Amino acid sequence: MFSENIHVFGIRTQKMIIPFFTTFLLLTTLGSFFLYAEGDLIKGKPALPGKACQTKPLFNWTPQEKWVWKQICNGEIADFNERDKEYDKVFDPKNHKRKPKGRLLTSEFLETILLHETFCGSLTHHGVRIIGAWFKDPIDLTNATLYHQLWLDKSRFDSDIDLIFLKTNYMISLDGSYFNGKLNLHSAKIGGQLNINGSKFSDELNMNSLEVENSLFMIDCTGLKEVNLIGAYVKGQLNMRGSKFAGKLTMDSLQVGGSLLMRDNAEFAETNLLNAKIGSALEMDGSKFTGKLMMQRLEVVNNLFMRNAVFIKVSLDSAKIRGNLELSGSKFHFIDLTNTNIDREFMLSSKNTNMDNAEWDGISRLALHNTKVGVLQDSRNSWPEHLELNGFTYGRLGNFIADNNKDLSERDITWFKKWMGKQVKYSPQPYEHLAKILRQDGRMKEAREILFTSKSIEHRKTTFGWYWLWLTTIWTFIGYGYRIYYAFIWSLVLVTIGTVCLGLSKQYRKKDLKYYGLAYSVDMLLPIIHLRKYHYDNIELEGWVRGYFYVHKILGYALALFIITGLTGIVK
């Protein structure tokens, strides 16, 4: 009886399990069907060379999305412009009015093919390459990791794109696109190139702390209102040629392994390059800076070219330029090079005769406080009217001929005086350093003349007092120590006066002095040295002549003292 009951229970259980298991399989199959039209449930694999894509699109994708997937999965470019060229004009992403729905792609579609294992695993080595698409919704790839290159060229984005903390070892290209929202690449790490050439922006471009292992290309971009590259690192080249920055460009602490190119008719508003480090050259040729250009503590391993450009206010305070700094052909209002080191040449005019001199408006100013330069190159008319030269030093003067004038090292003393006279506030150091350089070039006379000019200016600027009296005295007798021959002129004058006094008083006859007492006058003027003992032992002058010769002898001692101090440099 018990065995029969067990048998009946087993039959009933079997009848219940079989329908349940069949229903489960049916539901699973249907669920898979609704999730994928004909696709796999396993990890996708790229199609073999010459074979068609095996991973089918989702059933709920739009026709254009299915077409894009077919192209990409087969390793082709999904180029809407090429597809629609027979019946549709080439899509202009910057045209606000024309938005063909046949190009609309959803952010969900993009995220699916980039991040879903079934689809990203089916991509070929060409990655995702889309041209001429329209993205209406926000795209969020925050913290995503991409295993293939991504092209979204000549496309339109009507909402924000967040690529924050995105990681990829491949290139990302957004060339020729229009961004109607923010493009946020904060702390993204890109192993290949990042291209946004020819793109237009209507909102912020945030690349704060971005890392690019290759190069970052921003050529001919427009509408850049606020661009943030604070702390960014670009191992290769950062190229901004021809771009238009309508708003602030902030690149504090930027590091570029190659060159930073901001040239070829590029336009910039306020620009910050504080503490930036450039591994090769920084080029700004032919560009226009309508706002402040702040480059304090900038480091450039090679040359800094600022040629044929327009600048309002430039600050290069404490910068280090290991190559040349060239300003030829540019227009300036104010440039501050305080504490800047230029290892090679500081050029206000170029060896290239096709380039003009640096140009300055009437109130322009060049600050060179404590600036150190290897070689100074200029032309006669390349300096502004106002200079700050205190502490300015240079290894040597230029040796090439500019604008048909003599070399800087060969110019006449009048030019050097005029150059030194451009100082906003007098300081003797620039004169002393120029004199040192002229002495090195063998121009001793010009060096003394420069130092004399410096002392003359100091004399004029000194208020009446003991120091003014001292300067007046040494100027009178020895030309501040730089014109010792003044003392000999005074000696000749005093000897002549003494002789005249002896002649007018007839005492030269009474004392038996020949030549109207000329020898006596000379002997009395010379301190210590006695030319003739008779002059000291046997002659006793009378009256006012005696009084004069007391003064005569005192002035002789004074002249001797001035000559000694002038020759030893004590008064200089």
Side-chain angles (χ1 to χ4, degrees), residues 190-232:
I190 300 172
Q193 292 181 359
L194 174 58
N195 299 342
I196 55 175
N197 296 328
S199 293
K200 182 177 180 179
F201 297 81
S202 64
D203 210 324
E204 178 184 357
L205 172 56
N206 184 9
M207 295 186 281
N208 183 21
S209 301
L210 169 71
E211 294 184 19
V212 180
E213 284 297 317
N214 204 297
S215 296
L216 170 55
F217 291 102
M218 303 173 62
I219 302 172
D220 294 326
C221 292
T222 57
L224 293 158
K225 292 184 178 179
E226 184 173 351
V227 180
N228 184 346
L229 273 160
I230 297 175

Side-chain angles (χ1 to χ4, degrees), residues 21-35 41:
F21 186 71
T22 302
T23 303
F24 174 77
L25 289 177
L26 179 61
L27 291 173
T28 304
T29 302
L30 289 173
S32 301
F33 174 79
F34 285 112
L35 182 59
L41 288 176

